[in-house]
Amino acid sequence: MLIADSMKTQRPRLLVVDDDRAILTLTGTIALAEGFDVATTVSGEDAMRQLSQRPVDLVLLDLRMPGVTGLDVLRAIREVSPRCKVVLMTGYATIDSAVEAVKLGATDYLTKPFDLQRLRKLLMVVRTEADQRRTVLTLEGDLAQHLEFCGMVGRGPAMQEVFGLVRRLAPHVRTALITGETGTGKELVARALHTLGPRSNKRFLTVNCSAVVETLFESELFGHVRGAFTGATDHKAGLFETADAGTLFLDEVGELPLPVQAKLLRVLEEGEVQRVGSLEPRKIDVRLIAATNRDLREEVAAGRFRNDLYYRLNIVEVTLPPLRKRREDIPYLIAAFVRNFSQRFGKSLVGLTPGAERLLADAHWDGNVRQLRNVIERACILSEGEFVGEADLAGSMQEQRQVGSAPMPSPASYFRADGPAPLIEVERDHILRTLQQVRGNKAVAARLLGISRRAFYRQLERHGLHHRIPMSAHDELPDTADAAELERV
Ligand SMILES: Nc1ncnc2c1ncn2[C@@H]1O[C@H](COP(=O)(O)OP(=O)(O)OP(=O)(O)O)[C@@H](O)[C@H]1O
Ligand SMILES: [Mg+2]
């Protein structure tokens, strides 16, 4: 509502570029009276700078200026902001190049001295179009929301195919494997398979295979009886039993230790579990969904993953393409995220400036949708106007390759004379750097690292950092990961 209202009241924007100040005053006065916000400049360079910072509906552009000419500016506008209207202003002498310019994408041209009636009419047309465009922008946000499939936005053919597959599989599937790079939405797909399936009113339990201590795996998954090992003071049901009749989501299944893989295979084949320390088999009826960002075929070839388990899991495989292979989804994801964060942070953001949008459209996105979401969240926090600009993205786009994902930065300090530093140190170092980068804000640090806040606190404890990092005021930012995390073990 906030967004729609602010857009209705928004005035269209005009930029006038001419080295003749009298023209700036004349056109500016008329445009103001016609309901425009007006910016003026005498230089082509400055015009290009302004255009990359703020979206403009119309540019009135002098063709002949010293330095960067009108044609140069026109070309730049066409690159950065294809929807912006450009009207050239020219004397009779240069009318040929005006025709040329129209060929290059200018909307129209005005000859000097101006026919003021014509100028007014032109402004009116642009104003009507700008109003319509803003309505479309709101609709695009609405559309992005309506395109949501169980919380996922994906308009391009690749994601539509995934949605179709999930819809077809959900009613029937017993085991499924979801693969894809980090941040591509594997967990969302796992939840969609559960939600759209016949067991949606039963439990969906997640176990993160990389977070469980190896020696506790068996007891976590299958349970134990009292006295089965030191510390087993009581009987305990494992996750398979707890999730009975529902869905068990084995996240990061590629991290499962080999001995546990063997036991998991047996459970899947026999449909029963034995608690650690007991010989009594218990029947279980669990839908098992596994996910990994590793290439399990490679893991099998390297002897780290059992071939038979791999074939058992991938009877049905859903593969999520990386974001860079479905760039057509980026504008819709941006629209959905901007709307979401704008509402959450009580702002009236409408969208991105053309420069910012282009920056995001071209980025590599190693951390995929999660990273895009993080970048937009941060920009929405920083942004003060109606549009997220390049400046709001600057910090996070520089860290593009660090945020979120697999290819870790490898500072020289990670490699010493006696070989690589131990993983635990690299991890600790990375956590510290991330905290420094966000000035100690743990909620934001956790998001950048792509883990929930609770998991992040566990990491701080593990590295003995929990006493060193003071709480910051922002730590209480709402954390969307929390709801999911409550269900985690
Ligand atoms: N298509 C999408 N539309 C909207 N949000 C998405 C989409 N895909 C992913 N996200 C968001 O991106 C973030 C990461 O998604 P998710 O946790 O499902 O990724 P993942 O593939 O499980 O990553 P990882 O391998 O790191 O665990 C979440 O905040 C999720 O809501
Ligand atoms: Mg995941």
Side-chain angles (χ1 to χ4, degrees):
M1 210 54 238
L2 211 68
I3 296 170
D5 282 343
S6 86
M7 292 211 299
K8 263 187 229 140
T9 55
Q10 206 173 17
R11 293 154 68 91
R13 294 201 170 95
L14 166 71
L15 175 66
V16 194
V17 194
D18 200 314
D19 55 333
D20 178 350
R21 288 183 191 274
I23 297 278
L24 298 184
T25 313
L26 174 72
T27 50
T29 314
I30 293 176
L32 271 175
E34 288 297 326
F36 277 75
D37 271 348
V38 182
T40 58
T41 176
V42 288
S43 101
E45 283 101 340
D46 185 49
M48 279 162 40
R49 191 183 53 75
Q50 288 200 33
L51 283 163
S52 73
Q53 285 172 352
R54 240 184 149 196
V56 164
D57 299 292
L58 171 66
V59 182
L60 289 179
L61 185 61
D62 184 22
L63 201 52
R64 283 213 294 204
M65 288 177 294
V68 174
T69 69
L71 277 185
D72 297 330
V73 179
L74 174 61
R75 271 190 214 103
I77 297 175
R78 281 292 151 263
E79 281 242 316
V80 180
S81 177
R83 286 194 286 192
C84 171
K85 299 253 177 278
V86 183
V87 171
L88 291 162
M89 302 182 290
T90 168
Y92 286 115
T94 52
I95 197 130
D96 279 350
S97 21
V99 172
E100 179 65 16
V102 170
K103 275 196 214 142
L104 276 177
T107 316
D108 204 344
Y109 62 86
L110 288 167
T111 44
K112 294 179 193 172
F114 295 143
D115 170 350
L116 295 186
Q117 261 324 95
R118 192 161 128 69
L119 174 62
R120 284 202 185 88
K121 214 165 137 192
L122 202 139
L123 289 170
M124 243 163 61
V125 171
V126 171
R127 198 180 60 203
T128 314
E129 282 179 9
D131 285 349
Q132 284 167 354
R133 200 161 58 232
R134 276 180 226 288
T135 314
V136 169
L137 212 58
T138 325
L139 290 177
E140 232 169 57
D142 288 344
L143 196 62
Q145 260 177 356
H146 286 125
L147 286 170
E148 275 191 9
F149 172 78
C150 300
M152 278 175 279
V153 173
R155 201 166 193 209
M159 285 310 283
Q160 288 295 320
E161 202 172 302
V162 169
F163 298 164
L165 185 63
V166 170
R167 226 181 260 120
R168 288 196 304 277
L169 292 175
H172 314 293
V173 72
R174 298 280 307 171
T175 38
L177 178 66
I178 306 167
T179 53
E181 289 180 16
T182 182
T184 46
K186 295 185 293 296
E187 181 155 354
L188 290 180
V189 166
R191 285 178 186 277
L193 282 171
H194 175 75
T195 313
L196 300 177
R199 297 157 179 238
S200 58
N201 57 346
K202 298 284 188 308
R203 285 190 148 138
F204 177 92
L205 285 186
T206 299
V207 55
N208 186 333
C209 300
S210 68
V212 182
V213 183
E214 182 165 346
T215 47
L216 290 181
F217 245 115
E218 262 192 80
S219 121
E220 289 283 355
L221 287 179
F222 313 125
H224 61 247
V225 293
R226 190 185 309 130
F229 48 85
T230 325
T233 51
D234 216 337
H235 299 303
K236 189 187 158 215
L239 291 165
F240 269 97
E241 279 181 66
T242 316
D244 201 22
T247 304
L248 184 60
F249 176 42
L250 283 187
D251 203 2
E252 306 197 32
V253 73
E255 317 298 314
L256 215 54
L258 277 166
V260 186
Q261 291 178 24
K263 290 187 175 130
L264 177 64
L265 180 66
R266 223 182 41 227
V267 170
L268 291 180
E269 283 181 344
E270 288 164 15
E272 48 190 36
V273 289
Q274 279 173 357
R275 292 185 177 182
V276 177
S278 157
L279 291 175
E280 181 200 341
R282 289 162 187 264
K283 278 263 161 246
I284 44 115
D285 169 28
V286 168
R287 195 173 230 222
L288 188 89
I289 302 176
T292 179
N293 51 31
R294 296 196 181 212
D295 181 340
L296 282 191
R297 256 163 253 127
E298 256 173 37
E299 296 299 296
V300 168
R304 287 188 294 263
F305 203 84
R306 290 182 66 110
N307 203 14
D308 41 13
L309 179 60
Y310 171 61
Y311 285 111
R312 189 71 186 65
L313 290 177
N314 96 330
I315 296 174
V316 163
E317 182 169 342
V318 181
T319 304
L320 287 166
L323 190 55
R324 77 192 79 86
K325 295 244 171 85
R326 45 173 158 126
R327 291 189 185 273
E328 66 278 9
D329 288 344
I330 293 179
Y332 295 94
L333 287 162
I334 294 176
F337 293 148
V338 167
R339 165 169 290 217
N340 185 334
F341 290 121
S342 178
Q343 274 166 6
R344 188 183 316 163
F345 301 135
K347 304 214 171 184
S348 39
L349 287 157
V350 190
L352 268 60
T353 63
E357 196 158 326
R358 197 177 152 89
L359 205 64
L360 297 190
D362 292 346
H364 193 258
W365 301 121
D366 285 331
N368 296 293
V369 185
R370 176 185 294 112
Q371 188 186 6
L372 175 62
R373 190 174 183 277
N374 289 345
V375 165
I376 294 194
E377 178 173 12
R378 185 142 88 174
C380 288
I381 293 174
L382 294 175
S383 172
E384 282 176 341
E386 289 167 328
F387 290 89
V388 170
E390 278 164 282
D392 304 322
L393 298 171
S396 34
M397 295 311 281
Q398 270 163 18
E399 296 146 16
Q400 244 268 41
R401 293 196 159 262
Q402 296 175 28
V403 178
S405 73
M408 284 268 283
S410 43
S413 64
Y414 292 168
F415 294 91
R416 313 155 169 168
D418 56 346
L423 193 56
I424 187 118
E425 278 180 33
V426 177
E427 233 177 68
R428 189 173 191 276
D429 192 47
H430 190 58
I431 290 172
L432 277 171
R433 275 164 199 270
T434 310
L435 275 163
Q436 263 168 13
Q437 204 180 312
V438 299
R439 292 191 222 100
N441 186 327
K442 280 176 269 187
V444 176
R447 272 182 216 154
L448 289 181
L449 292 169
I451 56 179
S452 72
R453 220 174 336 155
R454 220 174 80 178
F456 185 60
Y457 281 110
R458 277 204 297 273
Q459 290 293 336
L460 289 179
E461 257 175 40
R462 182 164 160 244
H463 292 284
L465 296 169
H466 53 303
H467 296 307
R468 286 189 38 190
I469 318 291
M471 285 289 284
S472 90
H474 302 291
D475 268 357
E476 293 316 311
L477 275 178
D479 187 342
T480 41
D482 274 358
E485 184 62 20
L486 285 176
E487 287 186 57
R488 278 179 199 258
V489 186

